[in-house]
Amino acid sequence: MHAFDAVVIGAGAAGLFCAGVAGRLGVKVLLLDHGEKVAEKIRISGGGRCNFTNRDLDPRAPQRHFLGENPHFCRSALSRYTAADFVALVQRHGIPFHEKHKGQLFGDRSSEDFIRMLLDECEAGGVQRWQPCRVSALRARGDGSAPLYEIETDRGTVRTPRVVIATGGLSIPKIGASDFGYRMAQQFGLRVVPPRPALVPLTFGGDDWAPYAQLAGLSLPVRIATTGAGTKGPAAAFDEDLLFTHRGLSGPAVLQISSYWQPGEALRIDLAAGTGLAQALRDAKARSRKRLANELAAFVPARLADAWVQRAPAWQRPVNEVPDKALDALAQALARWELLPSGTEGYRKAEVTAGGIDTRELSSKTMESSKQPGLHFIGEVVDVTGWLGGYNFQWAWSSGWACAQALAGL
Ligand code: FDA
């Protein structure tokens, strides 16, 4: 029988960070993971460069960039351990980084720098890591108010008063995602908000999509918004790049809106955002005899202009022959393109899993279950989902830090 002050299950972003912080605070920590390799998701994140946090995260209203049934839950942890705190750690480790767009901070070299940093912190904290190590059962014994946990693993049984579940969500099953966290929550009677893929490309039904499939590979800046039609989901809008794919739409605009999209809801896309298209086309009519598609190509990519004018015979004429009404209709159609996704690309392609352990079951200060003392949940397994752009890693760091303070009795 092995004994530890705390056992962290899952050596991903949240688990590694929490274990290192707690270890440095004097807690005797065991970190377990069933994967062959440590922190695979950090390795593939940000295109291999790890978008590790976001400077736009507002410490006074951090919840603005997060979703969940209980949107204010994340506020406490995010304001106690901020993006600036993590940046200071990265700087202490001498890791070079840069800002891309919208406050997104990326490593200059490789995600490996961040994995090394987290492993070094664990080592400095005397954390023991068993990996790969499979957990077959987790049981609570003894006193209900201060239970002792027994964890059955393929390296023996471990006893501890504190268990931290940091096993993440369901996205990218081929690198070790599992439903372990949700199963444990259910075993101990905690509610789980149904998980769903988020930050995920959207798909569109066969024939309806056929005219746009030829645009695969095309990217352009748009404004994208939920319409709320037939759903109770929160309203959202993003100004970002859209990417046409063979099966549907992707790119940052769609990944962002996908986290808010509810099945059955139409989305609205402004394909010529900020161009003043209606007036510009009327001006073109006064001075040009070119095909309308050629004039339109000054405002949207030429391939899109060509495909778009196919939708109405009036739009296939020289611009000076197109009636004003038809020009206005074209501008309107591009500015208010409404379309109904048929689904998402699923967990295979989703960057994160929305939903998870209901935050009403947890303390926002310690991440501990109120029903089951000594059992904590951190990171993506919790019903807190960040926007694209480093917000999800910041949640992993902040929730891990808050939990580590509690493990150390602070
Ligand atoms: P994480 O998934 O990191 O770790 C969970 C760990 O638990 C894994 O090591 C897994 O092996 C282990 N585990 C699972 N089941 C287990 C079991 N039964 N027993 C033992 N161990 C188990 N975010 C961001 O902010 N910036 C970015 O650049 C990116 N980029 C990005 C790219 C791609 C392709 C993806 C898929 C995701 C991102 N993300 C991101 C999201 C980010 O990776 C994610 O939110 C965090 O890794 C979540 O951290 P966790 O520690 O909660 O889970």
Side-chain angles (χ1 to χ4, degrees):
M1 182 79 74
H2 308 268
F4 288 86
D5 297 338
V7 176
V8 178
I9 305 178
L16 276 166
F17 187 62
C18 176
V21 174
R24 276 179 166 281
L25 291 170
V27 182
K28 188 181 171 204
V29 183
L30 172 66
L31 176 60
L32 300 176
D33 197 294
H34 68 173
E36 289 285 334
K37 280 181 159 174
V38 68
E40 276 290 75
K41 247 182 220 168
I42 300 181
R43 187 165 288 113
I44 61 170
S45 69
R49 293 255 168 98
C50 188
N51 176 195
F52 59 93
T53 191
N54 195 300
R55 255 193 191 131
D56 289 351
L57 213 160
D58 179 355
R60 283 156 308 165
Q63 70 282 3
R64 199 161 70 78
H65 294 101
F66 291 84
L67 310 76
E69 280 195 1
N70 179 12
H72 290 280
F73 174 84
C74 60
R75 197 183 162 135
S76 163
L78 287 164
S79 48
R80 284 166 69 212
Y81 189 83
T82 63
D85 290 324
F86 194 78
V87 167
L89 178 69
V90 168
Q91 283 169 329
R92 276 205 299 284
H93 282 256
I95 299 176
F97 63 92
H98 61 280
E99 182 169 336
K100 260 197 173 167
H101 92 149
K102 300 194 172 178
Q104 300 169 3
L105 300 186
F106 284 77
D108 288 353
R109 295 184 302 226
S110 145
S111 309
E112 298 288 345
D113 282 346
F114 298 90
I115 300 175
R116 188 69 264 153
M117 176 185 87
L118 295 167
L119 289 172
D120 287 350
E121 287 291 311
C122 282
E123 207 177 306
V127 173
Q128 273 200 44
R129 181 162 57 93
W130 293 358
Q131 183 164 10
C133 175
R134 289 173 54 80
V135 174
S136 50
L138 170 63
R139 283 185 294 270
R141 296 232 178 268
D143 180 2
S145 65
L148 203 57
Y149 292 90
E150 269 182 20
I151 306 170
E152 297 289 348
T153 82
D154 57 10
R155 299 198 192 186
T157 306
V158 186
R159 216 174 243 176
T160 181
R162 296 214 173 255
V163 176
V164 180
I165 305 225
T167 47
L170 298 172
S171 23
I172 323 283
K174 70 170 191 253
I175 57 167
S178 85
D179 65 353
F180 182 85
Y182 311 131
R183 278 194 283 115
M184 290 306 112
Q186 274 153 355
Q187 177 186 318
F188 288 101
L190 313 191
R191 186 176 170 261
V192 175
V193 175
R196 60 178 203 284
L199 297 181
V200 63
L202 296 172
T203 54
F204 294 84
D207 285 353
D208 287 351
W209 191 249
Y212 307 106
Q214 55 172 313
L215 297 175
L218 183 78
S219 166
L220 72 159
V222 302
R223 182 174 183 77
I224 191 165
T226 53
T227 58
T231 72
K232 288 184 276 181
F238 293 93
D239 294 300
E240 281 284 7
D241 282 357
L242 175 82
L243 173 70
F244 285 83
T245 70
H246 287 288
R247 286 162 48 86
L249 294 173
S250 186
V254 166
L255 299 186
Q256 294 283 39
I257 210 75
S258 73
S259 300
Y260 290 86
W261 175 72
Q262 309 278 326
E265 179 184 18
L267 295 176
R268 186 173 302 134
I269 302 179
D270 183 348
L271 291 165
T275 61
L277 187 60
Q279 188 55 48
L281 290 179
R282 285 189 182 221
D283 293 347
K285 178 175 174 174
R287 59 163 168 74
S288 166
R289 292 173 177 201
K290 287 188 194 157
R291 285 188 321 125
L292 174 55
N294 290 19
E295 292 298 339
L296 189 55
F299 304 95
V300 299
R303 277 169 72 199
L304 175 62
D306 282 336
W308 202 266
V309 298
Q310 302 305 319
R311 296 168 49 150
W315 296 343
Q316 291 163 36
R317 307 224 295 262
V319 63
N320 59 316
E321 293 174 18
V322 182
D324 286 353
K325 251 172 99 178
L327 282 184
D328 289 349
L330 173 72
Q332 181 73 359
L334 276 162
R336 295 177 65 85
W337 187 30
E338 278 206 11
L339 62 176
L340 187 63
S342 53
T344 77
E345 291 277 10
Y347 291 116
R348 206 171 48 86
K349 290 272 179 79
E351 280 205 10
V352 290
T353 302
I357 315 307
D358 189 332
T359 52
R360 283 162 288 219
E361 303 276 10
L362 305 177
S363 152
S364 62
K365 189 154 182 269
T366 62
M367 304 293 137
E368 185 178 11
S369 156
S370 36
K371 267 188 205 134
Q372 185 60 42
L375 185 63
H376 302 248
F377 292 85
I378 57 173
E380 195 178 315
V381 74
V382 178
D383 176 31
V384 172
T385 304
W387 285 12
L388 189 76
Y391 295 99
N392 285 296
F393 277 142
Q394 186 59 43
W395 170 244
W397 319 137
S398 297
S399 59
W401 186 90
C403 178
Q405 307 307 300
L407 300 182
L410 298 174

